[in-house]
Amino acid sequence: MARLHTSMCLTPLALAAVLLLGGCASFSPDGGMATVSRVADARTGAPGALSATDTDEKLAQLLAQPLDADSAVRIALMNNHGLKAALADLGASEADLVQAGRLRNPGLSFGRSHGSHGNEIDRGVSFDLAGLLTMPLRVNIERGRFEQAKLQAASSAVQLAADTRRAYFNAVAAVQTEQFMQRALLSAEAGAELATRLQQAGNWSRLDQARQQVFYADAVSDLARARHQAVVTREHLTRLLGLWGRQTAFTLPQRLPDLPAAPAQAGDIEAQAMEQRLDVQMSKLDAHATADALGLSKVTGFVNVLDAGYTNKSTSEAPRENGYAISLELPLFDWGSARNAKAQALYEQSLQRTAGTAVKARSEVREAYSSYRTAYDLARHYRDEVVPLRKTISHEVLLRYNGMLASVFELLADAREQVASVNGAIATQRDFWIAQTELQSAINGSGPGAAAAAKE
């Protein structure tokens, strides 16, 4: 280290300028939540949920009515604790931004020695001059990271909304399936009792009676599984909503929403994904931040420690001496080439990741639309073809049975086949609404395969 002493000093005006620059950074009024809310509102179908006030009152109002998909999403955005934990990362990121806009505290030094010439006192004040020079670059880097943190927080909210919609449709479908299986069990029970009586009267074979009995036994098992599935899906939804205690007594509708009149057209979904998808935007910001970091590495590659300060020296038998001191590391062994090479490699890496994210997004949105359109066609096929045909068959079999043109065995066999058709119709309708959720996630969020950011 080298220390220089001259008769020059750091003037009070320069000192005030340094202190002003070092203390100008401050926290924003809302911690970045306005941006997060604006981004999330456009993508979740629940505008204003993240910025809502009096959440307890609004939560009670929403829970007082049977939930639909949008109200479930609104509750989750207001009440999910995992999301609240993710949003807390905003505060840490903003703190880094504020810290980047502040200088390190000045250093004070004081020394006293006694010799043959009397007492000698050294006084010094040092400032981080390198930090002052590189402050604009550091602030710019941290500002980019703060913007990225906002997008990450919004992505967590969008992902939670998608997870909640999936859980909601699964829960409602499970309720609908359970109700149908209860009716199927009653039918199977009546058929089993009738088959037993017919067999005892000698009008049915033991084989036919056993077939009807096993149908009843299967119906008992299917209802038990349907009831458990209704509990599982409801509890999954409850966790995403962040509800507990009496709040868990919320009401779900008895059936899934009807299919829309027509499916959405593909249009320019790839272009929409490139513009709206949050992981693409975060990847672009990461590339810019890495580029800024490369610039900072080049600036500080040779001189990475530079301190400047005011010195004051006095002895007991001589006038006081004023001046300044500068200390820096001499680049004898490390010229910063390794740091610059690493920054360049990281920048190339971020560029490739951005390109890979874009390719992945385009592929996922095409796949999601194919799944959406297939699910719609299948659900409509069951609604318009399979279920009406099954009703027609059941009606005709019943007419023939009443006219003594069909046996009881045919009537009961038709009941067994009807169970599979109705369960298939419920499943395809559920799959459509989930596929629609996946499509929106592929366009607006981070893709249908992204892990849930909000933990249960």
Side-chain angles (χ1 to χ4, degrees):
M1 304 292 289
R3 183 173 291 276
L4 305 176
H5 297 276
T6 76
S7 59
M8 296 179 61
C9 67
L10 196 61
T11 66
L13 182 60
L15 177 61
V18 170
L19 293 176
L20 179 62
L21 288 173
C24 63
S26 61
F27 290 92
S28 60
D30 62 354
M33 277 302 300
T35 301
V36 175
S37 297
R38 184 176 65 255
V39 174
D41 287 352
R43 293 166 170 81
T44 60
L50 283 180
S51 57
T53 58
D54 299 329
T55 56
D56 290 341
E57 180 180 351
K58 292 180 179 179
L59 189 63
Q61 293 175 354
L62 291 170
L63 292 175
Q65 304 294 329
L67 295 184
D68 58 22
D70 288 341
S71 62
V73 169
R74 186 173 295 277
I75 291 173
L77 294 178
M78 291 191 301
N79 202 51
N80 183 275
H81 299 288
L83 177 61
K84 292 180 180 179
L87 294 177
D89 289 339
L90 273 181
S93 180
E94 187 179 29
D96 290 338
L97 172 59
V98 172
Q99 188 64 45
R102 294 178 177 176
L103 285 174
R104 287 188 301 165
N105 290 325
L108 300 176
S109 62
F110 178 83
R112 182 179 184 277
S113 60
H114 179 74
S116 58
H117 298 289
N119 297 327
E120 181 174 312
I121 299 175
D122 283 314
R123 310 173 189 85
V125 179
S126 62
F127 298 90
D128 182 11
L129 185 57
L132 177 63
L133 296 176
T134 60
M135 182 186 294
L137 286 173
R138 288 186 288 111
V139 169
N140 189 44
I141 290 173
E142 293 301 335
R143 183 176 292 112
R145 289 173 178 168
F146 186 39
E147 293 300 320
Q148 193 172 10
K150 293 178 186 178
L151 289 180
Q152 183 60 58
S155 179
S156 297
V158 173
Q159 186 64 50
L160 173 62
D163 291 342
T164 301
R165 288 184 185 276
R166 280 189 290 266
Y168 172 83
F169 292 126
N170 278 322
V172 175
V175 170
Q176 190 172 349
T177 300
E178 181 190 4
Q179 291 178 342
F180 174 73
M181 292 310 301
Q182 288 176 347
R183 295 193 297 269
L185 178 62
L186 293 176
S187 176
E189 185 178 15
E193 183 179 353
L194 177 61
T196 300
R197 292 179 180 179
L198 290 174
Q199 195 272 332
Q200 291 174 350
N203 295 325
W204 253 29
S205 68
R206 178 62 180 167
L207 176 60
D208 291 336
Q209 189 269 336
R211 284 171 175 167
Q212 190 58 35
Q213 194 68 34
V214 78
F215 173 56
Y216 170 68
D218 287 342
V220 171
S221 301
D222 292 341
L223 177 58
R225 281 191 287 267
R227 283 175 173 168
H228 174 64
Q229 187 63 20
V231 172
V232 169
T233 54
R234 182 184 178 91
E235 290 301 329
H236 182 207
L237 177 61
T238 299
R239 292 193 294 272
L240 291 172
L241 299 181
L243 302 177
W244 65 283
R246 295 182 179 180
Q247 295 173 332
T248 60
F250 61 86
T251 304
L252 290 174
Q254 301 300 307
R255 59 189 302 275
L256 289 164
D258 293 331
L259 293 177
Q265 299 302 313
D268 55 348
I269 54 175
E270 288 188 49
Q272 292 179 41
M274 291 300 98
E275 180 180 356
Q276 299 175 205
R277 193 157 149 151
L278 294 178
D279 60 344
V280 173
Q281 295 184 24
M282 285 187 288
S283 185
K284 291 178 180 178
L285 282 177
D286 180 67
H288 289 308
T290 306
D292 291 339
L294 174 61
L296 179 59
S297 297
K298 290 182 177 179
V299 169
T300 60
F302 295 106
V303 182
N304 59 352
V305 175
L306 177 60
D307 294 319
Y310 165 76
T311 63
N312 177 285
K313 180 179 180 181
S314 64
T315 62
S316 57
E317 299 179 356
R320 176 177 296 184
E321 299 177 6
N322 297 321
Y324 64 90
I326 298 178
S327 62
L328 67 154
E329 289 184 2
L330 298 177
L332 299 180
F333 307 109
D334 184 3
W335 289 79
S337 58
R339 284 192 300 275
N340 289 332
K342 180 180 179 180
Q344 183 67 40
L346 291 176
Y347 177 62
E348 294 292 338
Q349 184 183 60
S350 68
L351 289 180
Q352 295 302 323
R353 284 177 177 170
T354 301
T357 300
V359 171
K360 176 172 172 285
R362 289 177 178 276
S363 174
E364 286 182 346
V365 77
R366 293 193 301 268
E367 180 182 350
Y369 183 79
S370 175
S371 177
Y372 163 82
R373 186 56 193 263
T374 301
Y376 180 85
D377 291 342
L378 284 174
R380 185 177 60 182
H381 176 68
Y382 265 84
R383 183 195 65 185
D384 297 344
E385 301 292 339
V386 176
V387 172
L389 285 174
R390 180 53 59 191
K391 289 181 178 179
T392 299
I393 293 173
S394 297
H395 180 69
E396 291 298 324
V397 171
L398 182 60
L399 289 177
R400 282 163 175 72
Y401 174 75
N402 291 334
M404 303 181 67
L405 299 176
S407 67
V408 174
F409 176 77
E410 291 177 288
L411 186 65
L412 296 177
D414 177 70
R416 290 195 296 268
E417 294 174 358
Q418 189 176 12
V419 170
S421 297
V422 174
N423 280 334
I426 295 173
T428 55
Q429 195 172 359
R430 175 204 62 200
D431 292 344
F432 164 76
W433 289 111
I434 292 178
Q436 184 187 62
T437 300
E438 299 285 5
L439 177 59
Q440 293 304 314
S441 180
I443 294 175
N444 295 320
S446 297
K455 302 300 182 183
E456 297 179 3

